[in-house]
Amino acid sequence: MDLFKTAEAMDAYMQGALLAPDPVLERVARASEAAGLVPHAVTPLQAAFLAMMVRLTSARHILELGCLGGYSAIAMARAMPADGKLVTTEIDTRTAQVAADNIATSGYGERIDLQIGPAMTVMEAHLKQGSIFDLVFIDADKVNHRHYLEMALKMVRPGSLIIADNVVRGGDVLDTASKQNSVRGVRDMFAFAQTLDHVHMTGLQTVGDKGHDGMALFLVDAV
Ligand code: DHB
Ligand code: MG
């Protein structure tokens, strides 16, 4: 078996062994696919990872950049206490309508504030308002990954976790001469990361249902 086939089979095996059937997220995935959204949501195992990070950090104020159909937003919101709030952004109005329907149907709508517009604009408004978050999931256009990380660091309390999705892109991120703006955005983010003090960082490659990609994690020092 080639690596991707093995990885896909392992995802199915671990999902079967570790995750209970999840009618809420399964419905979101089905509705998103039926609406023709791009298949870029996190996998069920990755959603469980994000939910675990929410629990580990006891996050009550989450910012997600890039909502798509609401799959990861719902997975994270569900892992918060009932009075937790998650802000998520979506640039595309048609996609946002699908997400709004999914969020309303999920039963977690009270915790989720879907803000329509470019992630940068929404983030700038929150920065101006003095919003504080304790977990940020960066998953919008990858072009501005560095700027999202830089701004997120200004909006989080000590001990907060920032997670950046899609930092590997099948290895395209290795290409120093890439003309893909998304690759350049991710490489800019890594160059910026090298300048950071008081942030504990790591990168995790992911391989499975959604190909070969990865997440970078930034834990802001608690002191
Ligand atoms: C893409 C975006 C994502 O957020 C993702 O998880 C996978 C792929 C993309 O734009 O190609
Ligand atoms: Mg992503």
Side-chain angles (χ1 to χ4, degrees):
M1 271 210 277
D2 76 28
L3 176 60
F4 275 105
K5 283 238 162 8
T6 308
E8 262 178 35
M10 273 309 300
D11 253 17
Y13 175 61
M14 290 199 288
Q15 188 181 328
L18 301 177
L19 306 186
D22 191 338
V24 172
L25 290 187
E26 282 160 20
R27 196 207 150 275
V28 173
R30 272 199 313 275
S32 300
E33 190 183 354
L37 301 194
V38 288
H40 291 164
V42 297
T43 66
L45 288 162
Q46 288 167 7
F49 171 79
L50 293 174
M52 198 179 280
M53 294 297 111
V54 171
R55 293 181 195 283
L56 277 170
T57 54
S58 304
R60 301 164 73 91
H61 294 100
I62 299 178
L63 174 63
E64 175 183 75
L65 305 176
C67 181
L68 195 59
Y71 191 92
S72 48
I74 292 163
M76 290 190 285
R78 196 168 59 173
M80 285 196 292
D83 64 347
K85 291 276 180 248
L86 180 147
V87 172
T88 182
T89 77
E90 179 50 53
I91 193 170
D92 180 73
T93 48
R94 204 190 69 84
T95 301
Q97 191 53 58
V98 177
D101 290 346
N102 285 342
I103 289 165
T105 313
S106 74
Y108 295 92
E110 301 251 301
R111 304 181 193 177
I112 301 176
D113 177 7
L114 170 57
Q115 304 195 342
I116 299 168
M120 192 72 87
T121 310
V122 174
M123 232 183 161
E124 275 163 359
H126 279 279
L127 193 57
K128 230 182 224 166
Q129 283 166 35
S131 301
I132 298 288
F133 297 99
D134 25 45
L135 192 149
V136 181
F137 182 48
I138 301 175
D139 195 22
D141 64 279
K142 317 310 164 195
V143 179
N144 293 306
H145 248 36
R146 175 229 158 97
H147 301 292
Y148 298 142
L149 174 59
E150 193 169 2
M151 288 173 81
L153 286 164
K154 295 179 180 159
M155 307 167 73
V156 295
R157 59 168 181 77
S160 296
L161 181 65
I162 301 168
I163 304 172
D165 198 23
N166 309 114
V167 300
V168 172
R169 308 189 69 85
D172 288 356
V173 165
L174 288 172
D175 182 0
T176 54
S178 179
K179 292 193 167 48
Q180 290 180 64
N181 290 333
S182 55
V183 167
R184 287 153 86 153
V186 171
R187 289 187 63 87
D188 279 355
M189 184 207 72
F190 280 120
F192 172 65
Q194 288 179 43
T195 70
L196 296 175
D197 283 325
H198 310 296
V199 183
H200 307 279
M201 303 186 263
T202 191
L204 288 177
Q205 296 193 63
T206 54
V207 59
D209 276 350
K210 303 274 170 123
H212 176 208
D213 215 321
M215 296 185 187
L217 286 88
F218 305 88
L219 180 67
V220 180
D221 221 339
V223 286

